[in-house]
Amino acid sequence: LGSVDREKVFHTKYRTPYHRDIPQDHGSALFALAESNGSQLIVAEELDYSKLKMKIQHPGWLKNTTKFPNHIKHVHDQVSRGVYRTFFAGALTNGWQLNLQITIFAIRRAINPNMHTTTTIQTYLSMALSLFGLLLRVRDG
């Protein structure tokens, strides 16, 4: 978890649109890179990583409660990442796909009202699986 010195101040600034002038640790950059590349084995450990960092920082804050509780920042970051991940990956990607499937099915049905039963059942199954995938993404967040 970074350096041995737990009170070390981070000096690295990653030029991202959201954290343009905020010093970051390398763990945040690793998880952002892993998520953008789809490395789910690394992203799956993000919550445990943040929880461990929070447990390390909490006793230091208990010694001096006048300082800002930095360990709360890890909770806030996890909540905001979960909301963004749910919205962008779940609602936009799977929602867009489901919208396209329904639209194309409606167009095909309007052009050919006597569509074969097998084609109709397969299309309904495909839309149901897309809806199920959308609901799973939203639930997993």
Side-chain angles (χ1 to χ4, degrees):
L1 284 178
S3 69
V4 175
D5 181 11
R6 302 290 182 214
E7 299 299 319
K8 182 178 178 182
V9 177
F10 300 110
H11 296 287
T12 306
K13 291 183 182 179
Y14 295 97
R15 304 289 292 174
T16 63
Y18 187 65
H19 293 116
R20 186 165 293 281
D21 297 318
I22 300 172
Q24 300 257 331
D25 64 340
H26 297 297
S28 298
L30 170 71
F31 287 120
L33 184 62
E35 186 155 354
S36 67
N37 288 324
S39 301
Q40 295 302 319
L41 289 175
I42 295 173
V43 175
E45 296 297 319
E46 184 178 17
L47 187 60
D48 292 334
Y49 177 80
S50 289
K51 191 165 87 174
L52 186 57
K53 284 184 73 172
M54 186 181 78
K55 284 181 179 180
I56 289 170
Q57 291 178 350
H58 183 69
W61 177 76
L62 288 175
K63 293 177 186 173
N64 184 6
T65 56
T66 59
K67 295 188 326 183
F68 179 77
N70 284 332
H71 61 282
I72 298 299
K73 180 183 177 301
H74 296 294
V75 175
H76 176 267
D77 288 347
Q78 288 303 313
V79 170
S80 66
R81 276 191 203 105
V83 168
Y84 291 138
R85 186 178 300 132
T86 300
F87 178 70
F88 288 123
L92 290 182
T93 305
N94 289 25
W96 178 256
Q97 177 185 358
L98 183 60
N99 188 7
L100 282 175
Q101 284 179 320
I102 291 171
T103 303
I104 291 172
F105 177 68
I107 291 170
R108 288 181 66 194
R109 190 72 176 193
I111 292 172
N112 184 8
N114 299 325
M115 192 181 297
H116 196 272
T117 307
T118 306
T119 305
T120 306
I121 291 172
Q122 287 175 349
T123 305
Y124 284 141
L125 178 63
S126 176
M127 288 188 291
L129 290 175
S130 293
L131 179 63
F132 182 69
L134 172 63
L135 294 175
L136 279 179
R137 286 282 188 132
V138 170
R139 182 187 66 91
D140 288 343

